[in-house]
Amino acid sequence: MELEFLGTGSGVPSKIRNVSSIALKMLQERDEVWLFDCGEATQHQLLSSTIKPRKISKIFITHMHGDHIFGLPGLLSSRSFQNGTESIQIFGPKGLKKFLETSLETSHTRLKYDIEFVELNEGMIFEDEHLSVSCFTLIHGVPSYGFVIQERDSIGHLLPEKLKEKGIHPGPIYQEIKKQEVTVLPDGTHVHRDEVTGPPIKGRKIVICGDTKPTKDIVQQAKDADVLVHEATFTNKDLQLAEDYNHSSSHEVVRLASLANVSQLLLTHLSSRYNQSDLEQELNQLKSIFHSVQYAYDSFKYEVK
């Protein structure tokens, strides 16, 4: 799993930051890319990445503000032109379906694939044998959501010494043993998988929040997450602006991350009022509160381990 930030600005694009969009690349795990928000010119940002639009199978929209949705019609149209024929699921708040259908209809855009719209409500919105996605409400003046992507635990690693004790030598049989609970060897011996594997490998947890004021629910939802992606539109000196516009300040977010015991905090949705030196100075202060914090930037990649 790898997160790639396609846009890390807020409100309007700047020379160095496009508006909101984050790709969750799961090419090895399931040969898919999931997109979280799709601000204006997201498809242009994709041109600077290795992401193929046809690999995007799901799009999750946190809320209906323009800097999070204006890139959708163009991206969907381009995906159709670029050999994208597989259906796509789009998860978002009420009104998203109407916005997209109106945009595509009035621009006479015909897609080569089907769209399945899923209107967001709190709770589980997707699950399969590999992972689940749930959403929860935030506070932003309009309906806004956070998403919890939880990978299921996987079978522990094979223990070669245990296999050798049973007279089993390396080969294709190793994979057979790992795939099934009980394997019967040619000599009739029964090998129980749990006897020759280590403890289960804990699934990774990623939490991606839309625009919001800080809330106690975020702490609960992000508990022990491997990565929390959260907006930090304003620095601490502009705390009142964050309050006035239903956003979060950087100091508020690092306190949430600390309480939630997340492994890594990635801050995005940054106001263009701050230059790089402002953010470097702010980051030094933030690290004194929570050391595993970083400001994301356009094209920034983070491997979720």
Side-chain angles (χ1 to χ4, degrees):
M1 285 184 175
E2 185 179 64
L3 291 165
E4 182 170 346
F5 288 77
L6 302 171
T8 56
S10 68
V12 296
S14 69
K15 290 182 178 180
I16 61 171
R17 294 184 188 275
N18 199 52
V19 285
S20 294
S21 187
I22 303 167
L24 175 59
K25 299 187 291 187
M26 297 178 287
L27 298 174
Q28 292 185 350
E29 293 85 357
R30 53 198 298 144
D31 197 30
E32 294 180 42
V33 176
W34 293 0
L35 207 61
F36 291 81
D37 286 332
C38 187
E40 178 185 354
T42 291
Q43 65 170 317
H44 289 267
Q45 298 293 87
L46 288 173
L47 296 175
S48 300
S49 78
T50 59
I51 297 170
K52 295 178 175 62
R54 61 183 170 81
K55 292 290 186 181
I56 299 172
S57 60
K58 292 178 175 52
I59 299 176
F60 300 83
I61 300 298
T62 61
H63 64 291
M64 290 296 293
H65 279 159
D67 58 325
H68 296 255
I69 65 170
F70 282 164
L72 264 175
L75 174 63
L76 295 176
S77 178
S78 294
R79 182 180 186 267
S80 192
F81 279 111
Q82 297 168 346
N83 300 318
T85 57
E86 296 294 323
S87 62
I88 192 169
Q89 286 184 305
I90 301 180
F91 301 77
K94 183 178 181 180
L96 181 61
K97 181 179 180 181
K98 180 181 178 181
F99 163 73
L100 275 177
E101 288 182 338
T102 301
S103 299
L104 297 174
E105 180 182 354
T106 56
S107 62
H108 303 281
T109 302
R110 300 290 182 265
L111 303 181
K112 298 177 182 176
Y113 54 87
D114 295 326
I115 299 177
E116 178 188 349
F117 290 97
V118 180
E119 189 172 299
L120 295 179
N121 288 295
E122 272 201 314
M124 193 70 65
I125 57 174
F126 173 81
E127 61 179 330
D128 62 16
E129 66 272 23
H130 301 297
L131 50 74
S132 65
V133 183
S134 59
C135 72
F136 59 100
T137 55
L138 300 169
I139 299 175
H140 187 51
V142 301
S144 185
Y145 294 87
F147 298 98
V148 181
I149 304 96
Q150 177 65 68
E151 190 179 39
R152 301 197 188 283
D153 294 350
S154 57
I155 298 164
H157 297 297
L158 286 171
L159 302 174
E161 65 277 11
K162 295 288 186 181
L163 292 163
K164 288 178 182 178
E165 288 175 5
K166 295 179 178 293
I168 304 170
H169 301 289
I173 188 65
Y174 273 25
Q175 288 306 311
E176 291 183 34
I177 291 171
K178 193 166 185 179
K179 285 180 182 177
Q180 48 200 15
E181 291 185 12
V182 180
T183 301
V184 181
L185 301 180
D187 64 1
T189 302
H190 286 64
V191 179
H192 294 265
R193 182 174 60 197
D194 58 2
E195 295 177 350
V196 293
T197 55
I201 301 168
K202 186 172 177 57
R204 292 163 288 186
K205 179 179 179 180
I206 302 169
V207 180
I208 299 174
C209 291
D211 294 1
T212 183
K213 288 183 174 181
T215 72
K216 291 181 180 179
D217 197 28
I218 295 171
V219 175
Q220 179 181 343
Q221 296 287 344
K223 190 68 177 174
D224 298 325
D226 294 282
V227 185
L228 169 61
V229 180
H230 200 291
E231 67 123 305
T233 309
F234 298 101
T235 62
N236 194 53
K237 71 181 182 66
D238 291 318
L239 182 60
Q240 189 57 51
L241 285 176
E243 174 68 23
D244 293 343
Y245 291 101
N246 293 311
H247 281 292
S248 298
S249 73
S250 51
H251 279 60
E252 290 174 315
V253 180
V254 294
R255 283 192 282 268
L256 290 178
S258 179
L259 289 171
N261 190 41
V262 304
S263 297
Q264 179 68 50
L265 172 62
L266 301 177
L267 300 177
T268 187
H269 200 267
L270 311 175
S271 171
S272 59
R273 71 185 60 222
Y274 308 116
N275 59 38
Q276 189 59 32
S277 62
D278 293 329
L279 296 178
E280 289 174 359
Q281 182 178 356
E282 184 78 358
L283 185 61
N284 289 333
Q285 296 177 22
L286 298 178
K287 286 183 177 292
S288 68
I289 305 171
F290 184 76
H291 70 281
S292 297
V293 56
Q294 183 170 350
Y295 278 115
Y297 51 86
D298 288 18
S299 298
F300 170 69
K301 299 180 183 69
Y302 180 83
E303 184 181 355
V304 186
K305 299 178 180 180

